[in-house]
Amino acid sequence: MAIVDCSKVQEELLHRFPATDLEPAVEEHLAHCHECRRIRDEMMTLGDAMGSDEDFYPDTYQAHLVQEQVEKAIERPRITKLNLYRPVAIAASVVLIVSVSLISLMMSGNDSSKIMSPMLVADSAEYLSSQVASGELDQSTLEEVFRDFTSNYGYQASDLLLDDISEEELQYLEDNFDVKDLL
Amino acid sequence: MKSDDNTHITNLVGKAKSGDRQAYSELVKLKMNQVVAFAYRMTQDKDSALDLAQETFLAAWESLSSYRGDAQFSTWLHRIAANKTLNYLKKAKRTVSLGDVADETVGSTVESSGPDVQMQREQLRRHVLGFMSTLPEQQRLVFDLRFYKEHSFNEIASITGRALGTVKTNYREAVTKLREFAREKGWR
Ligand SMILES: [Zn+2]
């Protein structure tokens, strides 16, 4: 079926950019429509002007340096790191999630749908710790806030791989909360 | 060729998952350029791109056991790189505006002399990075994953955790902006 509608063809050109292999129906339209052909040509030129992934590759020396750094870092025993990694990620997530929620409550009253991003509150981990330490937050509140957060933002706890948490904070969370249940 | 590459990568991933560092190094070598290039366009800053690549590969190594192979390795890796980069951009926004970063660092990468090809490439980079810096982060991410990484919209939805429709809209808007940008700047 031939597409005759110019706006549909132009939509398709945007959508498929920078592809030049278009549906036969689109090609057929282009063969007869000067305006759409002009846009197609413009898009092809634009596609070329944007280059390709390779144009942004680092030079060999720089790539080599990073490679070396990575190799050095992974020399450390992985098992220990893996064992540590998960609780750290979970605890960091919990800290951030609660921080976000608390701050959003304080700042925007009941509208928690357009608050700030997790990173913006990374600095508030300390604030949270004090809340936890003073006993103002308990396990059930934590879980509630967590669920609220994941449903609002679509984040998984393990996505928030932030290391803005001290060993003491981690220890405190592990000692006082069953963080594994939160996942 | 491409399926041979994929088999090779799958083999390396399998070995790396069981702790083979050499296999992982090989993987890093294969993917290094692509991860740096992505982070460079996203941040418009070379040094940050190199740092982010390093962070990405370390995080990937640490969480390799969670990679189940239901997505392409590069899709999985780009997801980590995207998270790292977005976090970086959010942090950077707190201290300095993106426009400042772009101007400063892009300018410093331009070599005053050198072969024509190098000059042309630098000019292309400046154009592209200039454009990328005008896009909101999500649009920039979607545009990059589609245009430069050639991911399908479905893969991009999985990488970004956004709905398919949103991703397609982001891309269309980014391409529309590109046309306007090119017209304003007089690209030919
Ligand atoms: Zn037409």
Side-chain angles (χ1 to χ4, degrees):
Chain A
M1 199 186 86
I3 302 174
V4 282
D5 189 340
C6 287
S7 67
K8 277 196 183 129
V9 169
Q10 288 166 20
E11 185 96 332
E12 183 72 3
L13 288 171
L14 285 181
H15 183 74
R16 309 258 308 179
F17 176 75
T20 46
D21 54 328
L22 300 160
E23 307 255 325
V26 176
E27 290 287 6
E28 200 188 315
H29 178 95
L30 290 171
H32 298 101
C33 179
H34 176 75
E35 178 58 10
C36 289
R37 209 162 53 236
R38 189 190 62 75
I39 293 172
R40 193 265 320 265
D41 293 347
E42 179 198 329
M43 305 277 266
M44 281 171 75
T45 311
L46 268 185
D48 290 342
M50 293 299 280
S52 65
D53 203 38
E54 285 82 356
D55 289 315
F56 297 86
Y57 283 1
D59 60 47
T60 323
Y61 175 70
Q62 287 172 320
H64 181 71
L65 283 183
V66 180
Q67 176 87 27
E68 270 186 353
Q69 291 295 320
V70 174
E71 283 170 5
K72 221 197 270 173
I74 66 174
E75 275 307 308
R76 278 175 255 147
R78 191 186 182 198
I79 292 164
T80 326
K81 284 194 93 178
L82 263 182
N83 288 346
L84 256 177
Y85 176 73
R86 204 169 160 78
V88 168
I90 296 166
S93 308
V94 171
V95 169
L96 283 171
I97 287 156
V98 178
S99 310
V100 169
S101 307
L102 284 175
I103 290 178
S104 70
L105 270 177
M106 295 190 310
M107 291 189 61
S108 58
N110 53 5
D111 184 10
S112 63
S113 61
K114 39 175 174 257
I115 349 158
M116 50 205 71
S117 65
M119 281 316 294
L120 279 177
V121 293
D123 295 338
S124 61
E126 210 181 317
Y127 168 75
L128 173 76
S129 302
S130 70
Q131 291 288 301
V132 171
S134 66
E136 282 177 48
L137 284 172
D138 57 17
Q139 178 74 19
S140 63
T141 314
L142 210 57
E143 285 181 19
E144 201 178 304
V145 167
F146 179 84
R147 281 196 206 97
D148 188 44
F149 183 87
T150 41
S151 60
N152 275 342
Y153 292 90
Y155 277 107
Q156 295 296 313
S158 52
D159 286 340
L160 300 168
L161 304 178
L162 300 162
D163 36 26
D164 298 309
I165 181 168
S166 69
E167 273 183 38
E168 292 78 34
E169 285 164 340
L170 170 61
Q171 195 56 51
Y172 188 90
L173 283 164
E174 282 186 326
D175 289 348
N176 292 278
F177 300 104
D178 194 1
V179 286
K180 281 192 194 75
D181 282 355
L182 292 173
L183 275 187
Chain B
M1 176 70 188
K2 189 143 194 178
S3 74
D4 282 356
D5 285 354
N6 285 343
T7 314
H8 183 47
I9 285 173
T10 308
N11 285 338
L12 290 173
V13 172
K15 286 181 186 170
K17 276 183 85 162
S18 51
D20 185 335
R21 291 187 179 81
Q22 215 168 342
Y24 189 69
S25 294
E26 184 67 21
L27 268 177
V28 173
K29 210 171 278 174
L30 286 171
K31 297 290 174 187
M32 175 67 73
N33 284 341
Q34 294 164 32
V35 173
V36 175
F38 164 77
Y40 185 24
R41 287 186 302 265
M42 286 296 293
T43 62
Q44 296 98 49
D45 182 62
K46 251 181 197 170
D47 291 337
S48 306
L50 296 168
D51 289 346
L52 285 164
Q54 187 177 332
E55 280 182 35
T56 298
F57 286 117
L58 289 180
W61 168 253
E62 298 296 355
S63 53
L64 204 52
S65 60
S66 74
Y67 173 63
R68 293 188 302 273
D70 41 12
Q72 292 258 358
F73 180 69
S74 63
T75 305
W76 182 78
L77 191 64
H78 287 153
R79 183 161 189 252
I80 297 174
N83 281 339
K84 292 276 172 203
T85 308
L86 291 179
N87 281 342
Y88 164 87
L89 289 172
K90 278 170 193 154
K91 257 185 188 166
K93 217 186 254 175
R94 283 191 293 188
T95 49
V96 62
S97 91
L98 207 62
D100 296 343
V101 177
D103 285 352
E104 192 182 303
T105 51
V106 173
S108 69
T109 65
V110 179
E111 285 162 25
S112 53
S113 64
D116 278 358
V117 178
Q118 184 60 26
M119 293 284 280
Q120 274 171 16
R121 177 163 283 183
E122 284 302 342
Q123 195 182 17
L124 181 144
R125 285 181 177 188
R126 245 180 311 154
H127 281 165
V128 171
L129 297 177
F131 166 66
M132 293 297 258
S133 73
T134 67
L135 295 179
E137 284 151 21
Q138 278 297 330
Q139 265 179 31
R140 198 185 312 163
L141 176 61
V142 169
F143 181 81
D144 200 282
L145 292 170
R146 178 75 193 138
F147 185 89
Y148 291 104
K149 300 302 189 191
E150 297 177 14
H151 281 296
S152 69
F153 287 116
N154 275 316
E155 285 169 337
I156 297 171
S158 139
I159 291 171
T160 59
R162 305 269 157 155
L164 183 61
T166 310
V167 163
K168 286 180 176 176
T169 305
N170 282 336
Y171 189 68
R172 255 202 324 270
E173 284 172 357
V175 177
T176 304
K177 283 181 187 168
L178 174 61
R179 289 179 70 197
E180 286 161 10
F181 186 85
R183 233 173 279 149
E184 266 171 34
K185 301 282 171 185
W187 291 8
R188 304 185 348 103

